[in-house]
Amino acid sequence: MIVVDTSAFVSLAVGDVLDIVLEEYSVHTTQHVHDELAETATSDDGHGDAADAVLDSVAAITVHESPDPSIETSRIDAGEASCIELANNEEASFLITDDLRALPELQALTDAQVAISPIVLRALVTRDVLSAAVARDRLDQIAQSRDWLGAPIYRRAQELFE
């Protein structure tokens, strides 16, 4: 079971791997994330289209009701906080987020492994679902769409494929 937040869902959708991820893993999220995706889907850009694609696939995602999260800090927003609470309540193996700035703080709040979405690409290579070359292409696609080129998250993601 993996828990996915808004930023990671958008990344997986722009990388054209969302359907594969939904076939390979039991993907869970919260109503807060669903609401954030609905808000993002109103944007007339690639991120809006990606959020809309996630919402079109919601039948394959287990969405949990989420009360207002008790954890919110300057780095952790309501969607991420709701995912932490879900990961803890459901004893999830992974929490996937692309908020690299919040990642250390998130990791301190859960026993689940908190990771960026490219780790899912790496896991798909390990499962022989994607070749390493295809996974790297998808990572580059995500990086270009998400404006990650040259950013710390892209460097960290590239390390997964070294």
Side-chain angles (χ1 to χ4, degrees), residues 17-28:
V17 293
L18 179 64
D19 290 340
I20 297 169
V21 170
L22 295 176
E23 289 174 14
E24 290 292 317
Y25 298 99
S26 174
V27 176
H28 295 242

Side-chain angles (χ1 to χ4, degrees), residues 47-117:
H47 293 166
D49 293 343
D52 200 38
V54 176
L55 294 172
D56 286 346
S57 299
V58 76
I61 301 166
T62 303
V63 179
H64 297 256
E65 287 298 320
S66 53
D68 288 336
S70 59
I71 310 162
E72 268 191 78
T73 71
S74 61
R75 293 184 185 222
I76 298 174
D77 66 25
E80 293 161 343
S82 68
C83 287
I84 282 290
E85 291 178 3
L86 176 60
N88 288 338
N89 290 340
E90 299 295 323
E91 298 180 4
S93 300
F94 283 89
L95 167 57
I96 308 299
T97 181
D98 286 340
D99 188 343
L100 194 59
R101 202 174 58 107
L103 199 141
E105 198 171 331
L106 292 168
Q107 186 61 74
L109 296 170
T110 184
D111 289 333
Q113 178 69 46
V114 181
I116 56 176
S117 62

Side-chain angles (χ1 to χ4, degrees), residues 147-162:
D147 202 22
W148 288 359
L149 296 174
I153 192 169
Y154 186 55
R155 288 191 295 276
R156 184 178 283 192
Q158 288 179 306
E159 291 171 5
L160 296 169
F161 294 96
E162 293 178 351

